[in-house]
Amino acid sequence: MYPKNISAHGGEVDHLFNLAFLLTGITLLLIVGIMLWILIVYRGRPGRRAHYSHGTSKGALILTAVVAVVVFVGLDVTLAIEDHHAYKIMYGTRPKDPVVVQVFAKQFEWHFRYVGTDGVFGTADDIYSLGELTVPLNKPVLLRMRSADVVHSLFLPYMRRKQDVLPGQTVELRFTATQTTEQARAERSDPNYHSEISTIAGWFRFRGENTERLDWFSVNKPEDDEDDHHSKKAPVSLLPDPKAFDFEIACAELCGANHARMRGVLTVRSEKKYEAWVAEQSKLAQSDEAPEINDIWIGWTIAPPVTTGSNAVEPKESS
Amino acid sequence: MISDATLADHGHPKPGFIRTYIFSLDHKMIARQYLILGLIFLMVAGLFAVLIRAHQVNPGRPLLVVGNMLTKVAGQAMTGDVYNSLFTNHGAMMIFFAITPIVIGAFGNFIIPLQVGAGDMAFPKLNMMSFWVIFLGAVLIVASFFMPNGSAAGGWTAYPPLSSGKDASGSAYLLGRGPLLWILAIALAGTSSLMGSINYIATMLNMRAKGMTLMRVPLVTWGLFYTAVLNVLWVPVVAVALFQVFLDRALDANFFVPAMGGQPLLYQHLFWGFGHPEVYILILPVWGLVGDLLSVFSRKPAFGYKLTVLSMGSIVALSQVVWGHHMFTSGMSPVLGNWFVLLTITISVPTAVFFLNWLATLWRGAIRLTVPMLFSLGVVFVFAIGGLTGLFNALQTFDIHVHDTYFVVAHFHYTLAASVLFGAFAGIYYWFPKMFGRTMNRTLGTLHFAFSFIFMNCVFMPMFVVGIGSHMRRIVDWTKYEYLGELRPLIEFMGIAAVALGLAQLLFVFNFLYSVFFGKRAEQNPWQATSLEWVAPTPIPHGNFIEPPVVYCGPHEFSNPGVTERDWIMQTEDTGVTQS
Amino acid sequence: MQQPVATAEAGPSYTGTGVETGKLGMWLFLASEVMFFAAMIGSYIVLRLGYPKHMGPWPDPSTVLDVPVLAINTCILIASSVAMALSLQAIQRGDQKRMIRFLILAMVLGATFLGIKIWDYTELIHHGFTISSSLFGTCYYTLTGFHGLHILGGLVLMGVILVQGAGGKFTAEHHVGIENTGLYWHFVDLVWSVLFVILCLI
């Protein structure tokens, strides 16, 4: 599975996928194999007559029942049990003391707010961030999310997690990160590193070098041409620099014209560095250089009471 | 008026041009009108699809030839608004104005009265109106593009508040009035389906010829019947959801305005309450058709006919209680989610029965690889992939990862685009001789199948990989995300394959147009099939049958050992050797 | 000239449900209408039960709506329904004049209902209760509005039946048109009763 998982629960999802891929793959091969075999063996030839049967014999009924039971138990029940197992890990017990971050989705930006050093929302030392979510390593994180306008969906590809953010509701999303951004950068700088997708995509790499964009269907912009002809720059790799690698956050629910630009960055820091970051940002927030606070936060002030129960929580705080 | 008299009572013996070709009450002419409307929209929406994939190859640059038509500023790449409008209308047109008119409108109208042995539909005037209602819808959806600020751009699902235009981002889509026309167009298409469905059910239940018991009706008509049942029940529900969006947008109502207590989630429940039955609405006729065609072209009775009818029925029932699997990420209660998982994957049991019956029908047959047969076999293959990947989507935790990614897009294109479209082609090639009195060219048809099959898989197979690679759907420019960079070879490959798939359809367009005018004259029963439409003479006269047919056996009497000089027994033949 | 095998009105259907085809069509149409209003009323219930607490309680209908007038209006519609039933009874006995008289009465009562509805709308809008003023307004106008459109459709249908009836189309044996119109009209009446209870009383 791609991109590489960096969450505590993501492994379960990957495992579920592998199992489902194996089971359905076998089923598909069976169907296609039997079909091709029949097509070859029983192709129509002059003088050959088909076998006359309506499939209503006892044997046929038993065969149908067997197939139904095998599919139900072998595919459905097996996968449902595995899914329920993953589901319990994803949603199950609520962590005692999570790092709470408030998220406000707005066309086409992700806004984040942290309690700061005092542990309470709605005070002067709150940290506000636009587009960058910073979380500590190996600690449960609880996002409490609202939308200011339309339906958005916070998508953490590296976490196998996604949660729609509907206006008028406060929804939650929980995860625990298992790799820091720094570790990921180091890992990707290794020349031997390659993700699974590169391997699969590699099969489709039907035209040599990976540095040029295919432009069969598009017009070359005039300024591009000038660049190419006059400055003769060396072709630059289209793959990003691993040293500047970041985990990305996306919006997965169509939210308007600039939906594709609703990108965010997830920065995972080790616990120590995270605490240092909170202290530094908190201080900055109280200084004169503090950035202006976006209007959307007005009215969402009270610290969220952490309740047990379902995934979606009705807005209990003021709104 | 519901209780129409029929053409036989009031029609003229030789109606004029307008009565024959435009406001015709004859189900066969209405079927041809539906077919042409559907094919035109299939081309338009198909072109949209090609544009979408070609654009994705290099999203930062304008497209060749059409690039300047799609932007306001010359030389600029496609903007989000235009792109959103393209895929929104690709989806809406394909579902409501291409697939529905072809598979349900054309096949349903043409086939149901013929296969049950009726002279016409139960309500011919209602039937005529149903076509003109969808035609009006088609005019409106085209007109919506010419409104200031363009047509709808909120996805075919049209989730509010985005679709109801209640926010202040100033996007062209939110300001426009075109989306109102778009909603009306969809509502009219739905009304048309509803009228058609009432006709189909009444015809199927009340107009059968003597001896045509329910268990002797061909499978495709059973599929269309089930489809009609789902349409009657669920089209009104989506109409309600769309009207609510309409009122929010046009009259400032508050259904989906959270500040006034409105609930956007309500729309999703209503929409998917219809939306999930809708996928079965589209595919049930194709399942039936494949069941029939596999039997005809392997010269063998359909295996487990009754069980197939029963399985279709159980899917109809199940399809109405599984809508929640579209909403695993919506913040719906997770406890409900578990039930939806279980109910959804249970659908795989009747589906498995289909595959067993299909393969068992082929087994020990004498298989003829005609063009309709090739497309039917194609359906078996692509539907196997579509169905099996549906299992992945039914699993809550995995679905959360791939929801709103290309994995889902690939899945429903395998079921809807590939399966239903191949089924539609199979039906067109199969009934063309009866519909137009001429035959389509077999070589061109075989080539059309081969290219369609190859390129269809080339477009949508990599799309699964891209989706698992977390590529969100509906984004105009994937290069904004760095992690998607690795998917580039796959995206380029899909782009090329999509253009090739589009070009391959020209074979069909040429074959169709050429054959309508210059094709070889067709015999009465070119496929040596047994159902009642092949009893009627070609071309079929008003009233369909020379004399009222009397039915003596089921629709799949092939290779009966009791008859030796040929390997089929028409349903109207009283041979005394049949079992069904 | 070939004759059709079986049609809606002429011709026997050899195997069927036993229900006249025209009536079967009307029942199917009503099934879809039931789903339509079920979705409408369901939406209203969901919106009302899920009304956010911080926005205060759901308004008491009697403070917003003119309930006595609507109650009278309900009686008028029920009376119209009764007239329709009497009209059908008359044609079943073959009494065409009586049928037309009651049909006209049913139409007049239906039109009165619609007239009072329009007057009620103008009054409410005058008092600031509009489709956009509150969620209750949205639900009220949408539900009663779509119901009003059904009343209008019913009046048109009855008009057609009236013209056909005056032309002597219906007999004691053959009157599926009136039966269908009656079915539809009773259904619309029933929907109004439900709407009146859930919108104006509870």
Side-chain angles (χ1 to χ4, degrees), chain A residues 1-3 13 16-17 20-21 24 27-28 31-32 34-35 37-39 42-44 48-56 60-61 63-64 67-68 71-72 75-77 79-80 83-84 86-87 90-91 107-108 149-151 153 155 157-158 160-164 166-169 171 195 197-198 200-201 204-207 210-221 224 238-240 244-246 248-257 259-263 310-312, chain B residues 54 57-64 80-81 84 87 153-155 159-162 167 169 171 258 264-265 268 298-304 307 329-331 334 338 341 345-346 348-349 352-353 355-356 359 362-367 377 380-381 384-385 388 391-392 395-398 400-405 462 465 468-470 472 474-483 485-490 492-493 495-496 499 556-561 563-564 566-567 579-580:
Chain A
M1 292 267 288
Y2 174 86
V13 180
L16 178 66
F17 169 76
F21 189 71
T24 55
T27 317
L28 182 68
I31 292 173
V32 176
I34 293 174
M35 191 167 89
W37 173 72
I38 291 174
L39 288 184
Y42 297 108
R43 65 186 184 277
R48 229 187 68 93
R49 227 177 137 93
H51 174 71
Y52 180 72
S53 154
H54 283 279
T56 42
L61 279 178
L63 178 68
T64 312
V67 168
V71 166
F72 187 69
L75 270 177
D76 297 358
V77 175
L79 289 175
D83 176 52
H84 193 69
Y87 163 81
M90 214 182 239
Y91 289 97
Q107 280 176 330
F108 302 95
D149 34 51
V150 300
V151 183
S153 185
F155 182 21
Y158 294 86
R160 316 282 183 259
R161 279 298 258 127
K162 191 180 285 140
Q163 176 63 52
D164 289 6
L166 281 94
Q169 260 182 314
V171 292
S195 70
I197 210 82
S198 313
I200 300 169
F204 288 84
R205 210 163 277 164
F206 43 88
R207 29 169 224 109
N210 193 24
T211 50
E212 268 172 58
R213 303 292 305 274
L214 182 84
D215 57 358
W216 291 359
F217 308 126
S218 48
V219 185
N220 271 319
K221 277 187 193 165
D224 281 6
L238 286 159
L239 288 180
F245 170 83
D246 273 318
E248 286 171 295
I249 300 172
C251 178
E253 188 66 62
L254 178 65
C255 61
H259 168 53
R261 294 186 186 191
M262 196 159 165
R263 173 183 176 271
S310 75
N311 179 36
Chain B
V57 168
N58 210 341
R61 288 186 181 167
L63 284 168
L64 285 176
D81 267 336
N84 292 354
F87 68 69
Y159 277 11
L162 181 67
D167 78 306
S169 76
S171 153
L265 194 59
Q268 299 187 15
S298 56
R299 315 305 297 163
K300 220 181 137 242
F303 186 90
L307 217 54
T329 67
S330 68
N338 286 332
V341 171
I345 54 175
T346 310
S348 62
V349 174
V353 174
F355 278 102
L356 175 72
L359 293 179
L362 292 171
W363 184 58
R364 299 177 73 183
I367 295 160
L377 294 169
V380 177
F381 178 74
I385 295 177
L388 287 168
L391 270 176
F392 290 80
L395 301 170
Q396 191 164 199
T397 47
F398 182 70
I400 286 170
H401 179 53
V402 294
H403 180 77
D404 268 323
T405 68
V465 184
I468 293 165
S470 309
M472 291 77 68
R474 295 174 169 178
I475 55 173
V476 60
D477 188 351
W478 52 273
T479 57
K480 295 277 180 282
Y481 291 89
E482 282 182 355
Y483 76 95
E486 289 194 48
L487 302 173
R488 191 163 59 84
L490 293 174
E492 289 173 350
F493 183 80
I496 296 165
V499 173
H556 305 119
E557 281 300 329
F558 294 103
S559 304
N560 189 318
V563 175
T564 43
R566 55 191 158 91
D567 65 354
Q579 297 173 6
S580 53

Side-chain angles (χ1 to χ4, degrees), chain B residues 5-6 49 117 155 170-171 198 233 275 280 297 305 345 354 363 401 407 409 432 445 464 491 513 548:
Chain B
T6 59
S171 153
I198 289 174
L233 293 178
Y280 293 101
F297 294 112
Y305 165 89
I345 54 175
F354 286 153
W363 184 58
H401 179 53
F407 188 87
V409 178
F432 192 90
F464 284 117
I491 293 169
L513 290 177

Side-chain angles (χ1 to χ4, degrees), chain B residues 513-533:
Chain B
L513 290 177
Y514 182 85
S515 303
V516 165
F517 298 107
F518 311 109
K520 210 175 83 207
R521 292 245 173 238
E523 308 152 40
Q524 180 172 338
N525 187 2
W527 310 112
Q528 302 171 337
T530 59
S531 48
L532 289 187
E533 74 266 36

Side-chain angles (χ1 to χ4, degrees), chain A residues 251-290:
Chain A
C251 178
E253 188 66 62
L254 178 65
C255 61
N258 286 330
H259 168 53
R261 294 186 186 191
M262 196 159 165
R263 173 183 176 271
V265 166
L266 171 74
T267 308
V268 186
R269 293 168 199 261
S270 64
E271 211 169 324
K272 246 188 221 159
K273 284 187 178 167
Y274 175 77
E275 271 156 24
W277 177 82
V278 169
E280 181 199 336
Q281 292 294 316
S282 247
K283 214 165 149 196
L284 186 73
Q286 293 171 73
S287 70
D288 298 338
E289 294 148 50

